[in-house]
Amino acid sequence: MSQLEFAHVTKKYGDLEALSAFTLSVQKGELISIVGPSGCGKTTALRVAAGFEKFDAGRLIVNGQNVELVPPQKRNMGMVFQSYSLFPHLTVAENIGFGLTIRKMEKKKRASVVSDMLDLVQLVDVGHRFPHQLSGGQQQRVALARALAIEPTVLLLDEPLNALDAKVRIEVRDEIRSLQKRTGTTTLFVTHDQEEALTISDRVCVMSKGVIQQVGTPREVYDNPGTAFVATFIGETNSVVIGGKEVLVRPEHTRVVNDAEPDSYRGSVQSVSFAGPLKTVVVRMSVDESLVRATMTNTGGVDWTIGQEIGVIFDRLVPLK
Ligand code: ATP
């Protein structure tokens, strides 16, 4: 069952269409990431869902109800932004309980929900602290707990990991996914980071310039990208012109072999980088002078030398429609 549905939603800012006939249906309990380059309309989609932006055409359905005229505070959306946006003068527990106070939840019940939430995000010991007394990762977990405390119809996350450093970013990312699954919360997650989108999502919605390019499971958009844009935005690709036609191929499907092997294209080694279990060889292709990357399992033995003439085999081309 669809919990959040955008049906041909168009949002304009002057002449610019930030969303063009945006059509996406998020199923109950599903996590969909919207991913795309800066300015493609990701945040606009989220703001439209939250009710912060009006739109020019189309319909927005939440839980079977057309919510176009429903104000943000009546939509029961949980929101987490990239800047933690906690109330500095409220304690962690008060921040988490804020939405419940607004909803006039009785004090005892509220204390019990806040306690459950503190437990859920593993912050039981810091409920009395103020936001400035927490690390970035802890602050974002409080923001998440505050959003989940109201049992939102949909959880809207706008680049929630951006302000965190690399290690904490992965920890909080995994925690968001685990909490989302455990609570069965329908979630729309905005990110510009394709790896994050692939890792965290049930399905990924790839956007460019206000238009949805493809919606599919992480594996579908990676293995069978609908367009060259999706292929190059999601994961890495090599582009080679063979017989006058451009083909795209993933580095892991590109293999360097001794030049004597049949069915290989000729090239010369530009660089070899060794990263333990994997090594990446950059080759200049004779056919069109392009550079391609081959990522191969390191099985020991001798590496190729710079300038060496070798062969390149493409095991699988990216299928494009
Ligand atoms: P980023 O990853 O940089 O946050 P985004 O994909 O979230 O980008 P949006 O913020 O949705 O992109 O913006 C989509 C387009 O709409 C951009 O071209 C942006 O400049 C424009 N835009 C967004 N908000 C407004 C506004 N209030 N007034 C005018 N143009 C706007």
Side-chain angles (χ1 to χ4, degrees), residues 48 99 109 143 161 238 277:
V48 161
K109 176 126 193 273
L161 307 171
N238 295 309

Side-chain angles (χ1 to χ4, degrees), residues 109-122:
K109 176 126 193 273
R110 191 171 73 221
S112 151
V113 174
V114 169
S115 159
D116 287 350
M117 285 297 136
L118 282 168
D119 203 27
L120 195 67
V121 296
Q122 296 169 54

Side-chain angles (χ1 to χ4, degrees), residues 13 16 18 36-45 53 159 190 192:
Y13 293 110
L16 177 95
S38 180
C40 72
K42 305 181 292 292
T43 297
T44 302
E53 296 285 355
E159 309 237 14
V190 160
H192 63 270

